[in-house]
């Protein structure tokens, strides 16, 4: 009985996890496109960290650094409503020694995370270069995006669909067959992952290093990328006749 149940479970598992394979002659075609576009939105994440032997003084430092950060944002005419923060995280720092626990408390570390949306990228370099120099600021990083994502995606899907059908016709002709109809189409290479992928990325060498006259060169640290790469792909199964 156990062997029968085991066999049935194996069969059911294969049916659940295996991708369906058509019983008719078919071809599978994958096409990809990439496009360079100018970003128009930046999402900046960073945290502010303070440490002191006294818990109260550590919190005072965190409050001081946060006030300075807010002043930088306001002085650069970025709405404070574009700034979000997490709760303050506090941890105890103790002395370390192999095999020993709960040693003397050395101090307290408090940290708070922030997320800032910059919708006018002309206002991005100056405040970011000020923030990165601010005491307590760490792990600052920016993700650049485009608000025209849907427009790019729709156009790419149309272009890719035409390219995929053209390639399917060529493959079918090479095998002395013709394409009868499309059996399935997805924006993922694997038909078991039927969801759209729209990736945005930037490369360091694509940054625009424009500087004001008299700059000491340090403004290169937090620059806006000249472009970001937008990519889309589709995979289609065509029935042959």
């Amino acid at each position: 009985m156990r062997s029968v149940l085991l066999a049935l479970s194996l069969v059911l598992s294969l049916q659940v996890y295996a991708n369906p394979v058509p019983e008719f002659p078919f071809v599978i075609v994958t096409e990809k496109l990439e496009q360079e576009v100018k970003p128009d939105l930046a999402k900046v994440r960073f945290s502010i960290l303070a440490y002191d032997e006294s818990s109260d003084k550590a919190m005072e430092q965190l409050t001081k650094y946060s006030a300075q950060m807010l002043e930088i944002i306001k002085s650069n005419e970025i709405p404070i409503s574009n700034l979000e923060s997490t709760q303050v995280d506090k941890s105890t720092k103790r002395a370390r020694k192999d095999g020993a626990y709960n040693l003397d408390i050395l101090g307290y570390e408090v940290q708070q995370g922030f997320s800032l949306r910059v919708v006018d990228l002309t206002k991005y370099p100056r405040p970011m270069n000020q923030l990165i120099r601010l005491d307590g600021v760490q792990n600052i990083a920016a993700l650049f995006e485009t608000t025209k994502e849907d427009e790019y995606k729709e156009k790419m899907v149309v272009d890719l669909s035409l390219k995929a059908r053209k390639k399917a016709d060529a493959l079918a002709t090479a095998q002395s067959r013709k394409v009868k109809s499309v059996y399935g189409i997805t924006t993922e290479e694997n038909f078991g992952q039927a969801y759209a992928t729209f990736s945005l990325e930037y490369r360091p060498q694509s940054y625009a290093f424009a500087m004001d006259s008299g700059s000491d060169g340090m403004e290169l640290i937090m620059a806006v990328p000249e472009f970001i790469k937008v990519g889309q792909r589709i995979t289609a199964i065509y029935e042959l006749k």
Side-chain angles (χ1 to χ4, degrees):
M1 183 66 179
R2 290 182 179 178
S3 61
V4 173
L5 291 175
L6 177 60
L8 286 175
S9 65
L10 290 174
V11 171
L12 290 175
S13 297
L14 289 173
Q15 290 177 344
V16 170
Y17 293 106
N19 289 328
V21 178
E23 297 180 356
F24 48 78
F26 65 92
V27 294
I28 299 179
V29 178
T30 296
E31 285 289 343
K32 301 178 182 180
L33 273 181
E34 276 193 343
Q35 184 176 352
E36 296 179 359
V37 301
K38 291 185 68 65
D40 56 13
L41 171 67
K43 295 179 180 178
V44 185
R45 293 185 180 276
F46 61 94
S47 60
I48 296 180
L49 177 71
Y51 171 84
D52 197 275
E53 295 179 1
S54 166
S55 178
D56 285 340
K57 290 183 178 179
M59 284 300 301
E60 288 176 4
Q61 285 186 28
L62 181 65
T63 302
K64 174 185 175 182
Y65 297 155
S66 297
Q68 292 173 344
M69 176 269 295
L70 290 173
E71 183 59 33
I72 289 174
I73 292 175
K74 288 190 293 185
S75 66
N76 285 280
E77 300 180 344
I78 299 176
I80 297 298
S81 58
N82 288 5
L83 179 71
E84 296 180 352
S85 65
T86 61
Q87 293 184 346
V88 176
D89 179 48
K90 177 183 176 182
S91 60
T92 303
K93 298 302 178 182
R94 294 179 178 270
R96 292 185 178 183
K97 185 178 180 181
D98 292 342
Y101 300 92
N102 296 325
L103 298 178
D104 292 342
I105 295 176
L106 301 178
Y108 299 91
E109 184 178 274
V110 289
Q111 183 175 196
Q112 188 171 17
F114 296 90
S115 176
L116 177 67
R117 287 172 55 91
V118 182
V119 296
D120 182 356
L121 293 186
T122 62
K123 298 179 179 180
Y124 172 85
R126 186 169 183 268
M128 291 307 106
N129 283 287
Q130 292 174 336
L131 281 177
I132 203 170
R133 289 168 173 76
L134 184 64
D135 289 344
V137 171
Q138 63 172 10
N139 301 325
I140 187 168
L143 175 64
F144 295 92
E145 300 181 356
T146 172
T147 55
K148 298 179 180 180
E149 174 179 331
D150 291 338
E151 295 179 26
Y152 290 121
K153 179 160 51 172
E154 290 175 5
K155 185 177 185 305
M156 282 184 168
V157 167
V158 172
D159 294 342
L160 287 171
S161 297
L162 295 174
K163 290 183 66 177
R165 178 54 191 260
K166 186 176 181 179
K167 180 183 286 187
D169 287 334
L171 289 171
T173 300
Q175 303 301 319
S176 300
R177 289 180 176 272
K178 292 184 178 180
V179 172
K180 180 179 179 182
S181 62
V182 61
Y183 174 73
I185 189 167
T186 179
T187 50
E188 270 297 321
E189 291 186 51
N190 184 350
F191 267 76
Q193 299 172 334
Y195 54 86
T197 296
F198 186 70
S199 61
L200 298 174
E201 60 184 22
Y202 61 90
R203 300 178 180 177
Q205 63 267 28
S206 302
Y207 275 71
F209 290 147
M211 296 183 295
D212 295 331
S213 59
S215 170
D216 59 3
M218 295 304 290
E219 295 303 309
L220 300 181
I221 295 176
M222 302 295 285
V224 177
E226 184 178 356
F227 62 84
I228 53 179
K229 291 262 188 182
V230 176
Q232 178 69 74
R233 69 185 175 200
I234 66 169
T235 298
I237 295 180
Y238 292 94
E239 181 180 357
L240 302 180
K241 60 181 179 180

